[in-house]
């Protein structure tokens, strides 16, 4: 949940929408604040609201002359745990950077729940408003007409409308003002202003933190009243009586989500009706919003699209690949079910970050890549994409560069793997029960700084590789990089006795997943 709200939700959705609404409001106030083309104003506001909500989902590719990004490098592995530090006094901690990251995630989670709680408050507030309207309808007098339903009740504080229903206080039922009130509210019903208001309420709930949303809501409702006032005055031979009526009833308690005859500010409404109608030519000013829309679209919805020809890209890959046969292709840790000439069917060339060609492989590397039952006589091509979230160089311990080519180096004996494929990257990664903090507590309670290593002054990082089985248990724990002095054995011992993890999943089914854990043994003081 926190990943969605911190990345996709905020950066991709909230930021473009919030900034767009802010820019629109400022331009709106500067350009059309005193314009009397109320219908155009209404649809301008509505159009921009829809644009601001759709903008985050727009994606236009802008051509550039860039080639395939990243060059040829080593594929990275996302599944690596943070470095845990074991101190000579037996304390266990996480690196300062990782500790800060965990604290940040915890704070983000708190903020996410606060945000959701406030959104829920506005949702409940809207539901309460609708229930109140339902109560008026149930307990009041009902009159059905051809165009609307009229509800009168002593509990209704002031006249208002909601969709095709008009609510009127019982005190006005036999008054001279009733016809004037009905005329006003029928404009809201006929022009379907309630749909505008419902859209605005949803946006206000989602972006309650954005002051420009609330200012736009005020402008929208005020423009609705301008429209209703204008139509009402067309049928009123005595506009002074209408204005006097508005002033007399300026204070009224209005239900949520409804349009009220007495929506403030009254002064603006009266002054706008007394303003000389704007010339038709003034409608041209609304064209100023077109460059605003284009600029915002360019800023938030246009992305670079390197113009890389398919044949040119394949020629680059094939020039490094074996000349004959079809090598195995692995994209972001998953074996590609196709040939090298079909790579673009899996990922566009411009999305490829790096490519590594392996002509020969050791048994250990075969295990790590999960290639046990595949024909690798023509080599392996490792591809990582820009969308991959990995940042840790996982092949640096099993590959070395010689003469511009990556070749396997001498490593520990291979994993005995009779049970099938081991994945190095899966859709749903395994997880320690309780998260990183629970893992830290487990290590603190179980791991010990070896006496031999402490006496000999040995310290450093031990990297242990292991497999999370389909049922979550730990298997095949072995040292990838050790420091001796009993530290290697201690790291393997503790990792092997871990409780069952939540297993990883690929395609919705549990699979075996390769992990690596770095543990730093240090003779320095305690963690802070």
């Amino acid at each position: 949940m926190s990943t969605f709200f911190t990345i996709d939700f905020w950066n991709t959705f909230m930021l473009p929408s919030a900034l767009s609404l802010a820019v629109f409001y400022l331009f709106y106030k500067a350009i059309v604040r005193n314009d009397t083309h109320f219908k155009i104003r209404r649809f301008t506001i509505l159009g921009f609201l829809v644009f601001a909500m759709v903008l985050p989902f727009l994606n236009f590719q802008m051509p550039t002359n860039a080639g395939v990004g990243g060059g040829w490098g080593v594929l990275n592995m996302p599944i690596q745990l943070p470095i845990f530090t074991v101190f000579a006094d037996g304390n266990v901690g996480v690196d300062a950077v990782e500790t800060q990251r965990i604290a940040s995630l915890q704070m983000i989670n708190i903020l996410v729940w606060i945000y959701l709680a406030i959104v829920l408050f506005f949702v409940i507030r809207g539901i309460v408003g609708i229930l109140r309207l339902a109560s008026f309808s149930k307990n009041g007098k009902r009159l059905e007409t051809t165009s609307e339903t009229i509800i009168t009740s002593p509990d209704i504080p002031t006249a208002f409308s909601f969709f095709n229903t008009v609510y009127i206080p019982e005190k006005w039922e036999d008054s001279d003002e009733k016809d004037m009130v009905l005329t006003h509210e029928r404009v809201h019903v006929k022009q379907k202003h309630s749909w505008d208001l419902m859209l605005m309420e949803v946006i206000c709930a989602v972006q309650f933190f954005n002051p420009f949303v609330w200012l736009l809501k005020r402008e929208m409702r005020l423009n609705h009243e301008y429209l209703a006032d204008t139509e009402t005055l067309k049928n009123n031979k005595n506009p002074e009586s209408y204005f006097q009526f508005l002033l007399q009833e300026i204070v009224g308690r209005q239900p949520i989500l409804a349009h009220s005859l007495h929506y403030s500010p009254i002064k603006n409404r009266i002054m706008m009706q007394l303003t000389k109608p704007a010339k038709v030519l003034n409608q041209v000013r609304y064209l100023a919003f077109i460059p605003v829309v284009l600029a915002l679209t360019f800023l938030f919805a246009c992305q670079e699209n390197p113009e890389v020809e398919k044949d040119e890209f394949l020629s680059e890959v094939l020039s490094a690949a074996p000349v004959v046969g079809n090598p195995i292709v692995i994209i972001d840790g998953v074996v590609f079910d196709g040939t090298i000439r079909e790579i673009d069917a899996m990922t566009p060339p411009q999305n490829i970050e790096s490519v590594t060609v392996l002509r020969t492989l050791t048994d250990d590397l075969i295990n790590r890549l999960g290639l046990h039952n595949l024909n690798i006589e023509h080599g392996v091509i490792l591809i990582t994409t820009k969308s991959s979230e990995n940042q840790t160089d996982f092949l640096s311990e099993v590959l070395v560069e010689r003469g511009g080519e990556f070749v396997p180096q001498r490593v520990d004996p291979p994993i005995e793997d009779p049970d099938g494929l081991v994945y190095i990257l899966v859709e749903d990664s395994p997880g320690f029960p309780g998260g990183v903090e629970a893992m830290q507590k487990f290590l603190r309670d179980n791991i010990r700084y070896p006496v031999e290593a402490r006496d000999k002054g040995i310290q450093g990082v031990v990297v242990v590789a292991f497999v999370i089985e389909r049922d979550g248990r730990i298997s095949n724990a072995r040292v990838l990089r050790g420091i001796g002095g009993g530290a290697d054995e201690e790291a393997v011992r503790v990792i092997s006795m871990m409780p069952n993890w939540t297993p990883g999943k690929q395609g919705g089914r549990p699979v075996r997943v390769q992990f690596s854990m770095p543990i730093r043994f240090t003779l320095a003081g305690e963690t802070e």
Side-chain angles (χ1 to χ4, degrees), residues 44-64:
T44 299
I45 296 174
L46 284 177
F48 210 95
L49 288 176
V50 173
F51 167 76
M53 296 301 102
V54 173
L55 178 61
F57 303 101
L58 300 179
N59 187 357
F60 300 104
Q61 299 294 326
M62 301 294 293
T64 66

Side-chain angles (χ1 to χ4, degrees), residues 133 154 181:
L133 296 181
V181 171

Side-chain angles (χ1 to χ4, degrees), residues 100-394:
Q100 183 178 1
R101 187 186 74 86
I102 294 173
S104 299
L105 288 176
Q106 292 175 338
M107 179 57 66
I108 289 172
N109 285 331
I110 294 174
L111 294 177
V112 166
W113 285 113
I114 292 176
Y115 170 82
L116 292 176
I118 297 177
V119 171
L120 181 61
F121 165 78
F122 283 104
V123 171
I124 295 175
R125 178 174 174 264
I127 294 174
V128 170
I130 293 175
L131 292 177
R132 189 180 181 202
L133 296 181
S135 175
F136 290 155
S137 300
K138 180 180 178 180
N139 301 324
K141 297 179 182 179
R142 177 184 296 268
L143 174 63
E144 300 287 349
T145 69
T146 56
S147 58
E148 74 277 327
T149 300
I150 301 174
I151 304 294
T152 59
S153 170
D155 299 326
I156 298 175
T158 186
F160 61 89
S161 61
F162 186 64
F163 288 100
N164 67 335
T165 303
V166 177
Y167 298 83
I168 299 177
E170 191 176 68
K171 63 180 180 179
W172 290 348
E173 188 173 3
D174 299 320
S175 67
D176 297 335
E177 292 85 1
K178 180 180 179 180
D179 291 339
M180 189 162 45
V181 171
L182 284 176
T183 301
H184 180 99
E185 297 303 329
R186 280 169 177 161
V187 177
H188 291 308
V189 172
K190 182 180 180 180
Q191 297 186 4
K192 303 184 185 303
H193 292 169
S194 292
W195 286 109
D196 304 7
L197 191 57
M198 291 296 290
L199 172 64
M200 195 73 246
E201 289 293 334
V202 171
I203 297 175
C204 285
V206 175
Q207 293 199 13
F208 60 84
F209 55 87
N210 185 355
F212 294 99
V213 169
W214 298 100
L215 292 173
L216 278 173
K217 178 183 177 181
R218 178 180 180 276
E219 293 297 328
M220 171 186 281
R221 298 191 63 171
L222 188 57
N223 192 64
H224 287 168
E225 298 308 319
Y226 291 160
L227 287 164
D229 290 341
T230 300
E231 294 298 321
T232 302
L233 288 174
K234 286 182 180 180
N235 302 316
N236 194 321
K237 298 180 181 180
N238 187 8
E240 289 78 10
S241 63
Y242 180 72
F243 295 146
Q244 184 178 6
F245 177 68
L246 291 180
L247 291 173
Q248 289 175 349
E249 300 293 336
I250 189 171
V251 179
R253 187 179 180 186
Q254 177 183 329
I256 300 169
L257 303 179
H259 285 92
S260 169
L261 171 68
H262 309 301
Y263 178 73
S264 294
I266 297 297
K267 178 181 177 181
N268 296 59
R269 291 169 59 182
I270 295 176
M271 294 301 297
M272 191 60 72
Q273 298 305 318
L274 295 176
T275 300
K276 184 178 179 180
K279 298 180 180 179
V280 176
L281 188 61
N282 286 353
Q283 298 178 19
V284 177
R285 71 177 68 184
Y286 290 90
L287 297 177
F289 289 104
I290 295 178
V292 175
V293 170
L294 294 177
L296 291 171
T297 301
F298 178 82
L299 179 63
F300 293 111
C302 293
Q303 301 178 0
E304 291 186 355
N305 180 19
E307 294 180 331
V308 181
E309 293 293 336
K310 174 182 176 182
D311 294 340
E312 177 185 349
F313 166 73
L314 290 178
S315 66
E316 287 190 74
V317 177
L318 290 172
S319 65
V323 178
V324 295
N326 290 319
I328 300 297
V329 178
I330 300 178
I331 301 178
D332 289 339
V334 179
V335 177
F336 175 53
D337 185 17
T339 67
I340 188 172
R341 295 187 178 275
E342 299 170 335
I343 292 176
D344 64 314
M346 182 70 178
T347 181
Q350 64 267 19
N351 288 344
I352 293 180
E353 179 71 24
S354 62
V355 176
T356 300
V357 177
L358 303 177
R359 301 178 189 276
T360 59
L361 294 90
T362 63
D363 290 339
D364 181 75
L365 192 53
I366 291 173
N367 277 291
R368 296 193 67 179
L369 296 176
L371 304 175
H372 315 83
N373 301 319
L374 299 176
N375 182 6
I376 60 172
E377 64 175 310
H378 299 299
V380 175
I381 295 180
L382 305 175
I383 297 177
T384 182
T385 65
K386 294 178 181 178
S387 60
S388 177
E389 298 178 357
N390 49 59
Q391 294 296 330
T392 306
D393 189 0
F394 90 106

